[in-house]
Amino acid sequence: MTNINTAQISRTEFIVLIAFMISLVAMTTDVMLPGLVLIASDLGQSDPNAGHLVISVLFAGFAIGQLVTGPLSDCYGRRPVIHASYAVFCVGCALSLFASSFEMLLAGRVLQGLGMAGPRIVAIAIVRDGFEGRAMARIMSFVMAVFILVPAVAPAIGQVVIAQSGWRATFTLLLVIAAISWAWFGLRQPETLLPAHRRSFSLKGIFQGIVIICRIPAALGYTLCAGVIFGPFLAYLSLAQQIFQGSYGKGDGFALWFAVAALSIGAASILNSALVEKWGMRFLSNLALFWVIGASAIFMIAVILWDGLPPFTLFMIWIMSTFFGMGLLFGNLNALAMEPLGKMAGLGAAVVGALATAVAIPIGFVISNGYHGGVGTLVTGFGVAAVLALLIGKWASGTSGQVGAG
């Protein structure tokens, strides 16, 4: 690590802290999944599918927040921007906690999205300040392995909290988690961007930086790959409660089955951390995309045979197989997109994150709206997204399909 004061924070603590900060996104998303239909109903929405807006607007705010926090962190340093982001996040939690209408809750969720951009995106810039190449991919894989524990347990935590205290208590829980994360970061993580390496802040500079990044095929291409493949995953998050509890009638078992699927991503992330330095990010990403395509194509046969809703066992085999591939993709695609952006890591992380999220939101929205009790739309979404990501990745690598060194 180059700028990180290792006398103050060890590498192990650094990885866990970064994972905890990034996990705020997963906790804010997943802790209320068991209550999406209830939230929409309590706040006057007759359409149960309206609950997916609670997720969609969060990521809309997240996309905007990334474009702001990244460049600001390049100008003023990582720590001040993360402190401000936590403050915005807490305001959004309070607004959602006391929401008297669905629109007020959505406004709070937008603020939460804006606020969680700092801990998520600037944290990646902190990693990029100290690591590069395959070493960065290895660190990100460890981070993802720790991070995945949160979405695995968050719905179960949310289910207990909602059952005992109602859905509003989930926002109190988020306030507590944010406070702990904020304090840990403030006390232990030093500044990693030295004043000599900071860039002046201007809208013109941001626009020029975005243009530069978009002209780098690897940065742009792998960002689009990440966004395309994240789209159906975002749809899954919005539909998980309805699929497990509505379509398959799993009731209180929703949190357990959601966790089982999520742990597949964690297992793949751990495997990726062991393989990436030997096999490279591009090879593993391509392998994972072919894996997702194959799993979706095979499972689609079952979808057709069972008129849109195959047996639950087959569904779990497919979702776990698909999520295993996703676990290989998340860390590698992000590292591939960030690799050429070392001299502008903050702005780079912002553009990569914002563009990927902006691409994912409409894809997830279309898939979510296509849900009518069966899983065919979701399966098709993952398969088609993987094909598109494979084609975009081939263009981005510029190797005519050959495995690169990355």
Side-chain angles (χ1 to χ4, degrees), residues 194-352:
L194 302 178
H197 298 154
R198 295 178 186 177
R199 301 161 55 92
S200 60
F201 180 83
S202 70
L203 294 178
K204 181 179 179 181
I206 293 174
F207 178 76
Q208 290 175 340
I210 293 173
V211 171
I212 291 173
I213 292 172
C214 289
R215 287 178 176 174
I216 301 174
L220 177 61
Y222 288 113
T223 297
L224 294 176
C225 286
V228 167
I229 204 66
F230 185 59
F233 185 76
L234 185 59
Y236 167 79
L237 293 178
S238 300
L239 297 173
Q241 181 194 15
Q242 292 171 264
I243 291 174
F244 284 106
Q245 294 184 334
S247 298
Y248 285 109
K250 294 303 174 180
D252 292 339
F254 159 66
L256 171 63
W257 293 113
F258 186 93
V260 170
L263 288 175
S264 296
I265 302 178
S269 296
I270 294 172
L271 178 63
N272 187 72
S273 67
L275 297 179
V276 67
E277 292 199 56
K278 179 179 180 180
W279 296 104
M281 297 174 283
R282 291 186 181 89
F283 176 79
L284 289 175
S285 296
N286 288 337
L287 180 65
L289 288 170
F290 279 116
W291 179 274
V292 173
I293 293 168
S296 298
I298 294 172
F299 187 62
M300 182 55 69
I301 298 173
V303 171
I304 295 171
L305 290 176
W306 274 277
D307 196 25
L309 196 65
F312 183 68
T313 300
L314 294 181
F315 173 76
M316 286 304 301
I317 292 173
W318 169 73
I319 201 69
M320 291 175 66
S321 299
T322 299
F323 280 10
F324 188 85
M326 301 293 283
L328 296 176
L329 288 168
F330 284 147
N332 286 328
L333 290 178
N334 192 79
L336 284 166
M338 287 293 296
E339 175 62 18
L341 308 178
K343 295 183 179 179
M344 47 193 310
L347 179 58
V351 175
V352 168

Side-chain angles (χ1 to χ4, degrees), residues 30 38 58 67 91 108 140 182 214 255 260 291 313 371 381 394:
D30 295 348
L38 179 62
L58 176 75
L67 285 176
V91 171
M140 288 305 300
W182 191 357
C214 289
V260 170
W291 179 274
T313 300
Y371 174 77
K394 181 179 179 181

Side-chain angles (χ1 to χ4, degrees), residues 97-222:
L97 174 62
F98 298 107
S100 57
S101 67
F102 193 61
E103 291 74 19
M104 183 175 175
L105 181 133
L106 294 182
R109 293 290 280 175
V110 171
L111 287 178
Q112 289 172 55
L114 288 169
M116 72 186 188
R120 172 64 172 84
I121 292 303
V122 181
I124 292 178
I126 289 174
V127 175
R128 185 61 185 85
D129 288 339
F131 300 91
E132 60 184 8
R134 296 183 181 183
M136 177 185 174
R138 191 164 185 263
I139 291 293
M140 288 305 300
S141 292
F142 279 123
V143 168
M144 288 298 297
V146 178
F147 158 78
I148 204 59
L149 294 176
V150 176
V153 302
I157 295 173
Q159 194 163 308
V160 172
V161 170
I162 292 170
Q164 295 296 320
S165 305
W167 60 263
R168 293 181 187 273
T170 59
F171 295 106
T172 302
L173 176 64
L174 290 175
L175 280 170
V176 172
I177 293 172
I180 294 172
S181 177
W182 191 357
W184 185 4
F185 172 82
L187 292 172
R188 298 292 296 161
Q189 175 60 48
E191 179 60 61
T192 60
L193 185 63
L194 302 178
H197 298 154
R198 295 178 186 177
R199 301 161 55 92
S200 60
F201 180 83
S202 70
L203 294 178
K204 181 179 179 181
I206 293 174
F207 178 76
Q208 290 175 340
I210 293 173
V211 171
I212 291 173
I213 292 172
C214 289
R215 287 178 176 174
I216 301 174
L220 177 61
Y222 288 113

